[in-house]
């Protein structure tokens, strides 16, 4: 017997009207309107202008409420926290992109993989191609080490 696939909206699907979102967040609908005006939460809009909240919006509303009530943070402080969290997320995303680009560039240049070569210069100025982690072994060291006791 074939069953129909179960519908599961993602966290960003705008499915809750303001009264349902307010009930899920444990606050009054007027509070949601105020948070929207302040830019703390940005629900989607219908063609008629009605607000539609996603699961992610409801979670954000709960976090705003927690920061406000439990931590005693002002709404201006919460706005700043949320802006900084957005900035951190954007920067982390950019770091992931740059790491991927760097890995691609290294792979294209032949770095880091098996057979990758490292170059070193010996004591007389000769250049050696080595495997990663390998060192040049001089026949005889001509280094002079001067030791002086610590004057403390």
């Amino acid at each position: 017997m074939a069953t129909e696939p179960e519908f599961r909206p993602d966290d960003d699907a705008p499915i809750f009207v303001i009264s349902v979102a307010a009930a899920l967040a444990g606050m009054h609908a007027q509070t949601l309107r105020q948070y929207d005006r302040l830019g703390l939460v940005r629900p989607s809009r219908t063609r008629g202008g009605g607000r539609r909240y996603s699961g992610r919006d409801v979670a954000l509303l709960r976090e705003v409420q927690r920061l406000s009530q439990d931590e005693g943070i002002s709404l201006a402080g919460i706005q700043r926290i949320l802006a900084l969290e957005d900035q951190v997320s954007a920067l982390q995303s950019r770091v992931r992109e740059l790491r991927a680009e760097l890995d691609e560039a290294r792979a294209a240049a032949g770095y880091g993989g098996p057979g990758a070569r490292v170059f070193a210069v010996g004591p007389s100025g000769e250049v050696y191609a080595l495997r990663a982690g390998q060192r040049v072994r001089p026949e005889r060291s001509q280094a002079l080490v001067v030791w002086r006791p610590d004057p403390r």
Side-chain angles (χ1 to χ4, degrees):
M1 174 185 226
T3 61
E4 291 193 30
E6 183 177 334
F7 174 73
R8 290 189 177 166
D10 64 12
D11 287 341
D12 293 318
I15 56 175
F16 303 114
V17 295
I18 192 167
S19 59
V20 174
L24 290 171
M27 55 183 69
H28 194 277
Q30 192 59 36
T31 306
L32 273 66
R33 290 183 186 94
Q34 179 185 8
Y35 290 173
D36 184 13
R37 280 192 298 276
L38 293 172
L40 292 172
V41 178
R42 292 183 181 87
S44 296
R45 298 286 182 154
T46 63
R47 288 183 187 174
R51 293 171 175 90
R52 292 293 183 269
Y53 293 84
S54 66
R56 193 175 311 277
D57 292 332
V58 171
L60 180 58
L61 288 166
R62 288 179 181 158
E63 179 63 8
V64 168
Q65 184 178 40
R66 185 191 71 74
L67 289 170
S68 176
Q69 293 179 356
D70 298 347
E71 304 293 332
I73 300 173
S74 69
L75 293 180
I78 294 170
Q79 278 180 310
R80 184 69 178 137
I81 289 169
L82 296 177
L84 289 171
E85 285 178 347
D86 287 346
Q87 186 178 12
V88 167
S89 294
L91 289 171
Q92 287 172 335
S93 176
R94 183 66 179 138
V95 165
R96 282 190 297 275
E97 290 171 7
L98 290 172
R99 280 191 176 143
E101 286 180 30
L102 180 60
D103 290 344
E104 288 176 18
R106 283 182 173 165
Y111 290 104
R117 298 186 330 172
V118 176
F119 297 93
V121 178
S124 333
E126 58 277 353
V127 177
Y128 297 97
L130 307 168
R131 282 182 267 119
Q134 186 180 14
R135 293 179 181 243
V136 175
R137 294 183 182 220
E139 284 94 38
R140 296 174 76 189
S141 173
Q142 297 183 8
L144 173 66
V145 177
V146 177
W147 176 80
R148 291 194 178 120
D150 190 6
R152 286 189 239 168

